Amino acid sequence: MGKMVNAYIVAYNSLQSVLWAISFALIVNELLGSSYKTVNQNVGPVLRTAQVLSVLETAHAALGLVRSSVGTNLLQWVARTHVLVMVVYYIPEVQEHVAVTVMYTAWALAEIVRYPWYACSTAGVCPDWLTWLRYTAFIPLYPVGTLGEIVLVYLALPIVKERSLYSFTMPNLFNFGFDYYTFLIGALCIYPFGWWSLYSYMLKSRNRKYGQKKQE
Amino acid sequence: MKLTLLSRSGREVAEFDIADDATVDDLQAQIQRLSKEKKLKGIKTDLYPARQRLSIPAVEEKAKPVVLTVGKALSAFGLKTGDKLTLKDLGTQIGYQTVFFWEYFGPMVIFPMFLVFRKQIYGADFEPSETQLLATAYWMFHYFKRIVETYTVHSFSHATMPIFNLFRNSGYYWGFAAMVAYFICHPFYTSPPLERVYAGLAAALLMQVCNLTTHINLASLRAPGMKGYQIPRGFGFNFITCANYTFEIYGWFCFNIATQSVMGVVFMCCGAGQMVIWAGQKHARLRKLFDGKDGKEKYPRRFVILPPFI
């Protein structure tokens, strides 16, 4: 049972590593070839597949296959997938913005470190330099990625308002209403806090890993 | 006897003498005194008894630490000179009744505010419908009942809890009160047929009466001074372990039948989810405790919380 689970986790993380590596290669290809404006068009399908698929990580945590928090996993997945699908995919006006390229690049770079690290450390063959990268690469990449998300949500605001996108108005028999524009503003207010709680958590675990050695 | 206090990470906090016939209460008082005299290493606050959690560290790998309970003598735990105790600071404590009062007072006041300040909140003045007024009255009554129960019915097995719980619980109750009220007090609120509103709210009221009955029953389960778990019996409890939760959930179900709103249903589901978890734990505890062995009673076959399902 334990072996099967391990094999599955290694396989899953390997698959994700490959998907994100392809995404990164496609980004580089776009930047070298034409311009950043076509990044979403050509990288989007693969990157979205990888990101949507990563909902499995919440399932892994819920089933106890990996030791991580279900809530944190789900929240991260929802936040990223929301920007990727509800904002970038469905709002053509923001697709050519440079923030898309910045966000995709930061995500891809972070993931081509994180997934191989998971795969290797589950398999028990993790080189030290990969562990070091896993605990270091996020320091610049995570803020840049989040900044990209925030900029894209901000850019989407006037378009969402103009089209009353995803809004559900009363009166109706459910006695419920939803205003996506207000939701986005609320999300923008919460973003810095959510970001900081996760970032400081990661910094702390980095300190646990590398900080103490110097003291001892 | 001489005892050593350790922090949770195993660091030595203090070493001191205490009378051999001292109780846990005496020990806690002494620790508080030491904390006031700044004689506990790494502890700067006044460590009053409710903030202290004292336990005897587990000797073996898988064994659990033994928690010292107030009212007992130290000798009852087999403590002798040279023994070590782990001290955990539980943080600032706050009374159960205080927490309950604030978490229930909020919803009672917040809900009607949406009608009182409807012009400011919805940007339009309108005459509240009968359903909106009745729903608001029911909501206020519900939380008024909870406050009254807090001071007259409930007995608490702990006096205090960490102050963080006050903010967490209040966030939950106040937040949901505002979200449910926003939609039910909305100018575009669509009322179900009035007969259903009357019937639903009447049924919900009946559930509140049943819930009150179960709370009175639970409070009288232990005679004064009695400790430990008892098997609840009587109205509802003969079939269901947590009949009090059953009536609470049914009550919100009836409220939702009467008022028909998505947010009300979400609120009910969140509450029910938490209560199902608690009920499952209590059911398991009672079944384990009353296993029918060594002259102990066997816990009867009962639903956990929501007949006819679980």
Side-chain angles (χ1 to χ4, degrees):
Chain A
M1 178 63 194
K3 263 189 183 164
M4 290 284 286
V5 170
N6 269 2
Y8 165 72
I9 294 293
V10 170
Y12 166 79
N13 285 294
S14 306
L15 173 68
Q16 282 284 11
S17 308
V18 171
L19 287 174
W20 283 101
I22 295 173
S23 302
F24 183 66
L26 288 173
I27 296 171
V28 173
N29 188 42
E30 287 305 307
L31 293 179
L32 291 178
S34 42
S35 93
Y36 68 83
K37 296 204 175 193
T38 49
V39 162
N40 178 64
Q41 197 187 330
N42 293 315
V43 183
V46 180
L47 194 140
R48 272 194 300 277
T49 308
Q51 176 57 32
V52 172
L53 189 68
S54 72
V55 74
L56 282 175
E57 283 152 52
T58 304
H60 297 163
L63 293 171
L65 302 188
V66 295
R67 276 192 311 141
S68 64
S69 143
V70 180
T72 315
N73 254 308
L74 186 65
L75 199 70
Q76 263 181 295
W77 183 84
V78 168
R80 268 193 179 190
T81 312
H82 161 252
V83 174
L84 191 61
V85 177
M86 308 303 267
V87 177
V88 177
Y89 184 67
Y90 282 113
I91 306 178
E93 286 89 335
V94 304
Q95 284 167 3
E96 294 188 354
H97 197 274
V98 69
V100 174
T101 305
V102 172
M103 182 177 82
Y104 282 7
T105 311
W107 285 4
L109 281 173
E111 302 301 40
I112 55 180
V113 170
R114 197 169 67 99
Y115 283 118
W117 181 81
Y118 277 131
C120 293
S121 55
T122 309
V125 289
C126 194
D128 286 344
W129 59 266
L130 188 55
T131 304
W132 182 83
L133 263 185
R134 186 253 183 281
Y135 282 98
T136 310
F138 76 90
I139 296 175
L141 293 175
Y142 188 46
V144 172
T146 311
L147 192 68
E149 294 173 45
I150 291 175
V151 168
L152 287 168
V153 170
Y154 179 77
L155 290 171
L157 280 176
I159 302 153
V160 168
K161 185 159 198 175
E162 187 191 308
R163 286 185 212 155
S164 312
L165 209 62
Y166 314 127
S167 290
F168 185 65
T169 51
M170 287 174 85
N172 55 57
L173 283 177
F174 304 100
N175 282 311
F176 186 68
F178 178 71
D179 184 33
Y180 187 56
Y181 181 75
T182 314
F183 169 81
L184 284 186
I185 291 178
L188 281 179
C189 297
I190 297 172
Y191 248 101
F193 297 101
W195 174 79
W196 176 247
S197 83
L198 211 61
Y199 196 56
S200 60
Y201 172 78
M202 278 150 51
L203 284 174
K204 233 181 269 170
S205 58
R206 181 180 204 283
N207 268 341
R208 260 204 307 277
K209 189 104 189 151
Y210 292 107
Q212 280 175 354
K213 276 183 191 158
K214 286 168 200 161
Q215 294 167 9
E216 277 167 17
Chain B
M1 66 180 101
K2 204 176 199 72
L3 292 174
T4 310
L5 276 186
L6 302 177
S7 75
R8 284 208 301 154
S9 55
R11 188 173 43 81
E12 190 180 312
V13 175
E15 203 180 36
F16 55 86
D17 265 312
I18 189 160
D20 284 352
D21 60 350
T23 61
V24 175
D25 305 67
D26 298 332
L27 174 62
Q28 292 192 328
Q30 181 153 347
I31 291 173
Q32 181 180 16
R33 212 158 43 239
L34 289 169
S35 77
K36 279 183 176 168
E37 293 164 7
K38 306 274 181 276
K39 282 181 182 160
L40 298 180
K41 255 174 255 163
I43 291 171
K44 296 188 182 74
T45 43
D46 172 9
L47 220 55
Y48 45 88
R51 272 186 81 144
Q52 304 173 18
R53 182 177 171 280
L54 291 162
S55 58
I56 306 169
V59 187
E60 283 163 48
E61 189 79 9
K62 277 178 186 165
K64 281 184 179 170
V66 180
V67 178
L68 301 191
T69 39
V70 292
K72 286 193 181 172
L74 293 181
S75 53
F77 296 95
L79 282 171
K80 54 189 186 307
T81 204
D83 276 353
K84 293 182 167 76
L85 289 173
T86 307
L87 168 69
K88 183 187 179 190
D89 178 4
L90 296 173
T92 307
Q93 297 289 303
I94 183 166
Y96 257 78
Q97 293 189 330
T98 316
V99 174
F100 277 35
F101 174 80
W102 287 111
E103 70 188 31
Y104 299 151
F105 180 74
M108 191 175 80
V109 175
I110 287 169
F111 203 107
M113 284 302 156
F114 280 80
L115 283 186
V116 174
F117 295 107
R118 56 187 183 273
K119 206 173 166 185
Q120 289 80 355
I121 292 169
Y122 302 108
D125 201 4
F126 60 97
E127 204 51 47
S129 70
E130 192 177 347
T131 310
Q132 290 176 318
L133 291 172
L134 283 175
T136 307
Y138 175 82
W139 183 282
M140 291 174 71
F141 166 76
H142 176 86
Y143 285 97
F144 177 71
K145 165 186 169 285
R146 287 195 186 197
I147 292 175
V148 172
E149 281 176 331
T150 299
Y151 289 101
T152 59
V153 180
H154 293 322
S155 60
F156 300 92
S157 46
H158 294 279
T160 66
M161 61 169 107
I163 197 162
F164 170 72
N165 294 8
L166 171 68
F167 301 108
R168 185 195 60 193
N169 297 6
S170 298
Y172 173 81
Y173 280 108
W174 297 28
F176 262 119
M179 289 193 292
V180 175
Y182 177 83
F183 292 110
I184 290 184
C185 300
H186 200 281
F188 296 145
Y189 171 77
T190 311
S191 172
L194 271 181
E195 301 82 56
R196 204 216 294 173
V197 177
Y198 295 147
L201 289 182
L205 270 180
L206 185 66
M207 290 302 137
Q208 292 305 296
V209 175
C210 295
N211 176 266
L212 174 65
T213 318
T214 60
H215 282 160
I216 292 171
N217 185 345
L218 283 180
S220 62
L221 215 51
R222 287 178 202 148
M226 209 157 106
K227 294 232 165 180
Y229 290 101
Q230 304 293 321
I231 298 181
R233 288 175 213 284
F235 182 66
F237 290 113
N238 292 338
F239 311 99
I240 316 160
T241 299
C242 288
N244 47 328
Y245 294 157
T246 310
F247 293 124
E248 181 68 17
I249 298 171
Y250 286 2
W252 284 116
F253 181 76
C254 297
F255 175 82
N256 282 322
I257 294 289
T259 55
Q260 191 170 313
S261 80
V262 165
M263 205 43 89
V265 173
V266 172
F267 178 52
M268 175 184 75
C269 291
C270 287
Q274 180 63 67
M275 283 186 265
V276 165
I277 293 171
W278 285 334
Q281 289 167 347
K282 183 168 178 184
H283 190 77
R285 200 161 49 218
L286 286 172
R287 275 190 22 161
K288 198 176 158 200
L289 216 58
F290 298 98
D291 52 5
K293 290 176 195 152
D294 310 324
K296 274 182 288 188
E297 210 173 332
K298 175 110 180 99
Y299 192 67
R301 204 176 136 75
R302 285 175 184 174
F303 286 108
V304 180
I305 175 167
L306 280 178
F309 308 109
I310 44 175

